[in-house]
Amino acid sequence: MPDMLDKISGYIMLSWGVPRFVIAFGAGAVLNLALAPIHFFAIIFISFPILIWLLDGASGQPDKGLINRQIPAFFSGWSFGFGYFVGGLWWLANAVITGGDGAYWAVPFAIFGLPAFLAIFFGCATAFARMFWKDNISRILLLSASLGIFEFLRGHIFTGFPWNTLGYLSMPSPIAMQSVEIVGIYGMTILTVVVASTPALFATKTGLKTGLFISSILITLHVGYGLIASHFNGPETTSSHIVRIVQPSINQSEKWDTTKREEIFETYLKLTADDEAEGSERPSIIIWPETSVPYILTKTPDALAQIADTLELGQTLIVGAVRLEGDGLNPTDKYYNSIHVIDDEGQILDSADKAHLVPFGEYLPFEKFARNIGLTPLAETFGGYTAATGQKTLKLRDGTELLPLICYEAIFPTYTGDNQTTAQFIVNVTNDAWYGISPGPYQHLQQAQARSIESGLPMLRAGNNGISAVIDNRGSILSGMGLNFVGFIDHSVPPKRGTIWSEQSRIYAFLLILALIGVVVLRMHLQRR
């Protein structure tokens, strides 16, 4: 077995050109097996050692400058990242196709263009780590820290796109998610890469005992904290609110069809008015998913009147809808992707607009240039959306506060960081029908579960075609409805849990991990000298 491992690692280190690209691409692509919906996390112990061995052999020409010597390392990391993002985001092609006629030309850009760009972050991470590469355990620590830094940058610059951050690879269940409460998703990225890369040491033997010791400690702490924390959900309380989450599974191609709008609206009203299950209480809160109403509610009093006729006394509707600023006749009018709180008299009590829009989906970066070359946002029905200036909580009639997350906002830790103290629960409305039957909705759900753990807030998640769910404050799904089912979930609102951790404290934990790695690596290098 050791001889076989030596041969494999040697072949990978000495590979070049197309074989090296295929190895790196494949190692990155299969990492997606560790993500939702498969959760085969053991694959990380194969992929990351391959990346380590690729970098072991990625030495540039010694007569070149420091930066030019890192080109092979950049290529190896970029190829690995390209495989990871193609394998994890291919389903975005469904959104392009669903977006309208004539969009098929953009499918290759959706499948390969965005992954090629995102892979640059991995390439920069491996190139940076390779500058200080040594044939001992420090290279694993360096790669882990570097990937943590560049994953943080991926989640923040150019508005950020932290989808499938590497930390999610070690979160196959709620028990394995609890550590994110302390170190955050970027801290989890570092710790995941440290543990997953350790098997690479079996080939070189250098630092093997130390690596196994460190990994054993990290695994024990991770699983141990998960087991302990999952039993502390806060006080056992019975909520005064019963919620109904409506999932109508409206076909995306029909969603804004003017000939279908009355039928669609009737579907929502019927599911709202259906009798509750035998033995359950009448819901006091009803939630419809993102952009569910095929009307501009503020401009359609008849629709509000129908909602009022459907709601029973004391019931409140939380609804995803498009909000218009203006009369709809002016090119300067603004459309917002919003959530409204509507009472049983059809009055809009409160509203919140989406603050973090999806690039190319809801708005165009560099819009003037993009439109000049023929690009339009996928959500072109209203000419694209305008982002809110900030996030806010919503209030129900009884004073209960909720934290609204519209669709893709649920993948950003910062959106649960500042408002978790006053809110009692999170409402996440989404429309994943864009992505068809694919890993996309499952990945989205996994990331939403992490937000509940970080904030200590339960989540009520309403998806047009799924995955709708009631999630407790430890990320466990208490009740759910799968993709493309039509119906509703009636469930009590789970209690919130107090937490001393904020997104800022998790950033500090991330920086502390980086500092500790820096100290250890520096000391090892000084001892070697």
Side-chain angles (χ1 to χ4, degrees):
M1 182 66 178
D3 290 340
M4 177 66 72
L5 200 58
D6 288 342
K7 289 180 180 179
I8 293 172
S9 63
Y11 175 79
I12 292 172
M13 282 188 278
L14 296 175
S15 63
W16 198 253
V18 174
R20 171 169 281 259
F21 171 78
V22 170
I23 292 168
F25 181 91
V30 298
L31 265 183
N32 289 282
L33 296 175
L35 297 170
I38 299 174
H39 293 300
F40 180 59
F41 73 94
I43 196 68
I44 67 177
F45 297 106
I46 296 174
S47 287
F48 282 103
I50 290 174
L51 180 58
I52 292 288
W53 294 331
L54 285 166
L55 295 175
D56 283 341
S59 55
Q61 297 180 21
D63 58 335
K64 299 295 184 180
L66 180 64
I67 301 299
N68 287 335
R69 287 202 302 269
Q70 310 316 316
I71 291 176
F74 176 88
F75 175 78
S76 297
W78 181 89
S79 302
F80 183 88
F82 188 49
Y84 180 63
F85 292 116
V86 169
L89 296 173
W90 59 266
W91 43 266
L92 287 175
N94 289 329
V96 173
I97 295 170
T98 306
D101 296 334
Y104 287 91
W105 64 268
V107 168
F109 294 94
I111 297 176
F112 302 113
L114 179 61
F117 169 74
L118 296 175
I120 292 172
F121 289 93
F122 279 31
C124 290
T126 52
F128 179 76
R130 193 61 177 76
M131 288 183 183
F132 311 97
W133 207 252
K134 299 292 182 183
D135 188 20
N136 55 37
I137 194 176
S138 70
R139 70 198 201 276
I140 286 177
L141 300 177
L142 278 167
L143 178 63
S144 304
S146 190
L147 281 170
I149 292 168
F150 280 92
E151 282 288 76
F152 177 84
L153 293 176
R154 177 166 74 90
H156 287 81
I157 66 174
F158 304 120
T159 77
F161 188 73
W163 194 282
N164 288 351
T165 304
L166 291 174
Y168 292 111
L169 295 171
S170 57
M171 297 184 182
S173 69
I175 286 176
M177 291 181 175
Q178 302 307 314
S179 300
V180 77
E181 177 188 11
I182 301 174
V183 299
I185 192 60
Y186 303 111
M188 284 301 301
T189 293
I190 294 176
L191 301 179
T192 296
V193 178
V194 168
V195 173
S197 301
T198 298
L201 300 173
F202 280 99
T204 60
K205 306 300 187 295
T206 308
L208 177 59
K209 290 182 179 179
T210 304
L212 290 175
F213 175 75
I214 292 172
S215 293
S216 298
I217 294 295
L218 292 177
I219 291 171
T220 301
L221 290 174
H222 177 56
V223 176
Y225 182 76
L227 289 169
I228 294 169
S230 59
H231 286 87
F232 292 93
N233 289 7
E236 291 293 331
T237 59
T238 302
S239 174
S240 59
H241 290 295
I242 303 296
V243 65
R244 170 169 294 185
I245 299 173
V246 171
Q247 181 174 304
S249 291
I250 304 299
N251 190 306
Q252 185 60 35
S253 63
E254 299 177 352
K255 190 172 174 65
W256 297 108
D257 185 340
T258 54
T259 65
K260 298 276 188 178
R261 61 170 53 173
E262 290 184 16
E263 179 186 338
I264 290 170
F265 196 50
E266 278 297 323
T267 299
Y268 279 105
L269 295 175
K270 181 178 183 302
L271 290 171
T272 299
D274 272 359
D275 292 335
E276 57 269 15
E278 186 177 347
S280 64
E281 296 181 42
R282 188 194 71 162
S284 57
I285 301 172
I286 294 95
I287 304 176
W288 294 0
E290 180 187 19
T291 57
S292 52
V293 182
Y295 306 103
I296 306 294
L297 279 178
T298 53
K299 308 293 181 182
T300 317
D302 288 348
L304 287 171
Q306 285 182 272
I307 289 172
D309 291 341
T310 302
L311 295 179
E312 297 182 23
L313 185 65
Q315 287 185 320
T316 299
L317 175 65
I318 300 172
V319 54
V322 176
R323 187 177 74 83
L324 168 64
E325 263 187 16
D327 56 14
L329 303 174
N330 211 312
T332 58
D333 292 342
K334 295 179 179 179
Y335 292 89
Y336 296 87
N337 189 347
S338 304
I339 292 181
H340 297 309
V341 176
I342 302 174
D343 67 10
D344 54 16
E345 296 179 353
Q347 300 180 69
I348 298 176
L349 303 179
D350 205 354
S351 298
D353 303 322
K354 189 175 183 180
H356 208 126
L357 301 178
V358 181
F360 300 103
E362 295 173 310
Y363 80 101
L364 286 176
F366 312 107
E367 182 173 12
K368 187 175 181 180
F369 170 77
R371 289 191 181 275
N372 283 341
I373 63 173
L375 294 180
T376 58
L378 294 178
E380 180 64 1
T381 307
F382 303 103
Y385 292 105
T386 300
T389 54
Q391 192 189 29
K392 58 168 284 191
T393 57
L394 292 172
K395 281 191 177 181
L396 304 184
R397 185 162 44 186
D398 64 0
T400 300
E401 284 190 60
L402 61 95
L403 179 61
L405 295 178
I406 301 177
C407 188
Y408 154 91
E409 287 180 332
I411 75 171
F412 292 89
T414 51
Y415 280 94
T416 54
D418 299 329
N419 298 291
Q420 63 194 49
T421 53
T422 57
Q424 295 300 307
F425 53 88
I426 298 168
V427 170
N428 176 214
V429 296
T430 187
N431 177 21
D432 292 351
W434 287 97
Y435 310 131
I437 300 176
S438 73
Y442 297 93
Q443 294 170 1
H444 199 182
L445 175 64
Q446 181 186 22
Q447 294 170 79
Q449 288 173 269
R451 303 294 82 81
S452 282
I453 296 167
E454 291 167 347
S455 64
L457 297 176
M459 179 181 289
L460 310 175
R461 189 171 195 269
N464 168 29
N465 70 320
I467 303 168
S468 299
V470 177
I471 302 169
D472 74 9
N473 59 53
R474 285 294 179 187
S476 294
I477 297 174
L478 304 180
S479 183
M481 191 177 299
L483 279 180
N484 296 327
F485 281 88
V486 177
F488 56 82
I489 301 167
D490 283 354
H491 202 281
S492 60
V493 177
K496 69 181 290 186
R497 162 179 54 83
T499 175
I500 62 172
W501 303 97
S502 65
E503 183 57 22
Q504 186 176 21
S505 65
R506 283 185 281 270
I507 295 296
Y508 291 150
F510 170 61
L511 294 175
L512 178 61
I513 294 170
L514 289 174
L516 289 173
I517 288 176
V519 169
V520 171
V521 170
L522 179 61
R523 183 176 179 182
M524 291 181 71
H525 282 216
L526 290 175
Q527 286 177 339
R528 184 162 182 155
R529 287 187 180 182

